[in-house]
Amino acid sequence: MHELLRKFRDVAFSVSLIVVFVLIINVSIVHLEWKYIGLFLIGSLLVFVGLSVFLVGVDLGITPIGQHMGKVITKSNRKWILAVGCFVLGFIISFAEPSLIILGQQVKRVTEGIIGNYLLIAVVSLGIGLLVSIAAIRIVTGFSIKKLFIILYSIIFVLAFFVSNEFLAITFDASGATTGSLTVPFLLALTVGIAAIKTKQGSAEEDSFVLLGLASAGAIISTLVLGLFIDTFNLGSGGVIEPLEKSIFQTLLAEALNVGLSFMPIILIFVVIQIFKFRFNRKASLRIIKGMVYSFIGLTLFMTGVNGGFMAVGREVGTYLNLNVPDFVVFIVGFILGMLVILAEPAVYVLTRQIEDVTSGSIKRFMVVIALSIGNGIAIGLSMVRIMNPGVEIWHFLLPGYIIALTLCIFAPKIFVGIAFDSGGVASGPLTATFMLAFCQGIATGTGGTATLLDGFGMITMVALMPFITLQTLGLIYKYKLRKHQPQEE
């Protein structure tokens, strides 16, 4: 109960910032209809309760399973067992990720069926599984993470020349969406379990991160490979946006079904664990079952709040702003919203807490959160610039952005490289993929063009990119301060 109250306190602060800012915009500029404000307030309450309960469930259920599986598959000391086990776990958990399922449905509608939702989900999950497997082998062999990132993103840059700008945005967005509410806590825990075997060599702390960053690169590569076999330059007109005014009860039932299907693979993994000799004891098993129930209820309420209230307001605010205020005001509002939304993302809580735990408090959670918040604000602001200026294309930001990020990884401390690339995945969670996506589509409506889901693609890409730069920059500052104080200590 104490842990739940602590989660309520932390989440209340983050969600209230978004609510207060949106209400201020509404009173001073937008003046939305009361039905939208009502839906938004109900959605905010569901987000608050759901996120708090979900985070408690992660601690009780999902994290122990991930850590246990990481330790189990490394006990054999056989690399092929580690590789196969991680590939299967990575594929299963990615295939079940709610954010990826939602994105797959959007892509199918946007491309008018040219890219099927299950095709995209399967391709992305294959890339995730492959790179989770490679990441695990990297941990036990000690291969340089900096060299691996340079190799992977060099491959990505080459493949990117053969697809359209629209497909490139979809590709990077798929990478961000797959590291969502379910995938992040499980893969982070799996990484800690695998890295624990290297404690004696003193590298477990550094190797407790990076897996999410590598998994995201795997999703990009596999989706770009898919683009080589389809005509990415004729993906359709952009589809049709579905009505946002759905009842909360209708949304609750739909989300309960989606979340229930998403949890099936984790339940299957737990059952397999219990059947074989590496089972949990009775007390731990009951605790995990309790945690999974909490996670299911919490994530269902959270997704209901996001899809039932936040999206409608995001769309309306975006549309009104671009029709009635100067461009620089739209940029400022997007920047502030980006900073605030990141504070309410479920996976951000999971990652930043693990960073502080694994580093024994030497890397403070609030420093990482501040860096993520600033980076997310810049990402949303730049997305506003791209949407309002048709001549600006996504690669104008991605190419220099990734060049800067890969250059920084040469000089930044190893642990910050891993944290930065993992943070790119957690920043693009369900709030960003729904509320901010709707906000961007509203901005696109205001430009006088056709408001389609296609206009929103690329925003998640920017959100996933900025932490690579801001967190590694934080690492350089941390490295400089550490060197500065070392002579004084001697």
Side-chain angles (χ1 to χ4, degrees):
M1 182 60 69
H2 175 73
E3 183 65 19
L4 181 59
L5 291 176
R6 188 172 70 84
K7 292 292 192 299
F8 275 142
R9 181 196 64 198
D10 293 341
V11 174
F13 173 74
S14 301
V15 175
S16 63
L17 290 176
I18 301 174
V19 174
V20 170
F21 183 68
V22 170
L23 291 179
I24 289 174
I25 293 176
N26 181 62
V27 172
S28 60
I29 303 176
V30 181
H31 309 299
L32 295 176
E33 295 180 31
W34 281 109
K35 66 176 180 178
Y36 290 116
I37 297 301
L39 281 174
F40 178 70
L41 293 176
I42 294 173
S44 301
L45 178 62
L46 292 174
V47 166
F48 160 62
V49 175
L51 180 54
S52 303
V53 174
F54 172 74
L55 291 172
V56 173
V58 167
D59 290 341
L60 294 176
I62 296 177
T63 298
I65 294 176
Q67 290 180 345
H68 190 69
M69 289 304 297
K71 293 176 182 177
V72 166
I73 59 180
T74 55
K75 280 184 178 179
S76 65
N77 291 321
R78 296 180 180 178
K79 293 178 182 177
W80 72 267
I81 293 179
L82 176 63
V84 172
C86 286
F87 174 82
V88 172
L89 290 174
F91 179 87
I92 289 176
I93 202 68
S94 174
F95 202 88
E97 173 57 47
S99 297
L100 182 59
I101 293 172
I102 293 171
L103 184 72
Q105 295 169 347
Q106 293 175 343
V107 170
K108 180 181 179 180
R109 186 160 59 250
V110 166
T111 62
E112 299 177 345
I114 295 175
I115 304 175
N117 54 331
Y118 286 111
L119 172 62
L120 180 67
I121 293 170
V123 168
V124 169
S125 298
L126 283 172
I128 293 288
L130 178 61
L131 263 295
V132 168
S133 178
I134 292 175
I137 297 298
R138 187 210 69 81
I139 290 175
V140 298
T141 59
F143 186 79
S144 170
I145 183 58
K146 298 181 180 181
K147 291 180 181 178
L148 185 54
F149 272 128
I150 291 174
I151 293 171
L152 291 174
Y153 278 94
S154 296
I155 295 172
I156 289 170
F157 286 150
V158 172
L159 291 174
F161 282 106
F162 299 97
V163 299
S164 66
N165 287 326
E166 292 79 9
F167 188 79
L168 188 63
I170 291 173
T171 296
F172 279 84
D173 281 3
S175 167
T178 194
T179 47
S181 306
L182 206 57
T183 307
V184 168
F186 186 87
L187 290 186
L188 283 175
L190 179 68
T191 311
V192 171
I194 297 172
I197 66 172
K198 296 190 69 178
T199 303
K200 293 181 180 179
Q201 293 97 312
S203 60
E205 181 180 287
E206 295 178 341
D207 288 324
S208 295
F209 305 100
V210 170
L211 190 144
L212 285 176
L214 291 175
S216 297
I220 296 172
I221 291 173
S222 62
T223 310
L224 285 174
V225 171
L226 171 66
L228 300 179
F229 296 93
I230 60 177
D231 185 3
T232 63
F233 294 90
N234 294 286
L235 291 177
S237 62
V240 179
I241 296 175
E242 293 183 342
L244 296 174
E245 294 78 8
K246 298 179 181 179
S247 71
I248 292 294
F249 182 72
Q250 179 186 4
T251 306
L252 177 65
L253 293 178
E255 295 303 332
L257 177 61
N258 290 334
V259 174
L261 292 174
S262 299
F263 269 77
M264 290 305 295
I266 296 181
I267 295 172
L268 177 62
I269 292 171
F270 176 69
V271 171
V272 170
I273 291 174
Q274 295 303 93
I275 292 175
F276 293 97
K277 62 181 180 180
F278 40 85
R279 67 181 63 186
F280 292 98
N281 59 43
R282 185 174 183 274
K283 183 179 180 180
S285 297
L286 291 175
R287 180 182 174 88
I288 287 172
I289 292 172
K290 180 181 177 181
M292 286 195 287
V293 171
Y294 276 25
S295 298
F296 169 77
I297 294 173
L299 190 56
T300 299
L301 293 177
F302 178 84
M303 295 300 291
T304 301
V306 167
N307 291 319
F310 271 46
M311 285 189 71
V313 169
R315 178 78 51 77
E316 292 298 314
V317 169
T319 302
Y320 185 92
L321 287 177
N322 205 26
L323 286 173
N324 297 278
V325 301
D327 288 356
F328 77 90
V329 175
V330 177
F331 175 86
I332 293 173
V333 171
F335 176 80
I336 296 175
L337 276 175
M339 291 185 66
L340 298 179
V341 163
I342 197 71
L343 299 177
E345 289 287 7
V348 170
Y349 275 82
V350 177
L351 177 65
T352 53
R353 187 172 63 248
Q354 178 169 320
I355 290 170
E356 197 165 61
D357 290 345
V358 169
T359 62
S360 300
S362 62
I363 301 176
K364 301 297 183 183
R365 177 180 177 272
F366 78 91
M367 292 193 306
V368 179
V369 171
I370 290 173
L372 281 174
S373 183
I374 293 173
N376 206 57
I378 294 172
I380 298 298
L382 292 177
S383 296
M384 299 299 97
V385 173
R386 182 177 65 85
I387 293 172
M388 293 185 295
N389 296 277
V392 180
E393 299 181 357
I394 187 67
W395 67 267
H396 293 159
F397 295 119
L398 291 186
L399 183 59
Y402 275 100
I403 290 175
I404 293 172
L406 292 174
T407 302
L408 285 172
C409 83
I410 298 174
F411 303 100
K414 179 182 175 183
I415 189 170
F416 276 93
V417 174
I419 290 172
F421 280 83
D422 278 3
S423 298
V426 304
S428 49
L431 269 179
T432 300
T434 51
F435 179 81
M436 295 311 302
L437 176 60
F439 180 74
C440 288
Q441 291 167 352
I443 296 296
T445 305
T447 62
T450 303
T452 69
L453 289 170
L454 188 59
D455 295 307
F457 287 124
M459 179 271 298
I460 298 177
T461 304
M462 295 297 299
V463 168
L465 168 63
M466 288 310 301
F468 299 172
I469 299 173
T470 56
L471 267 298
Q472 289 187 105
T473 301
L474 177 64
L476 291 176
I477 296 172
Y478 180 86
K479 182 179 178 180
Y480 170 76
K481 288 186 174 181
L482 195 63
R483 286 182 177 178
K484 185 177 179 180
H485 288 293
Q486 278 178 346
Q488 298 175 359
E489 293 173 358
E490 295 173 358

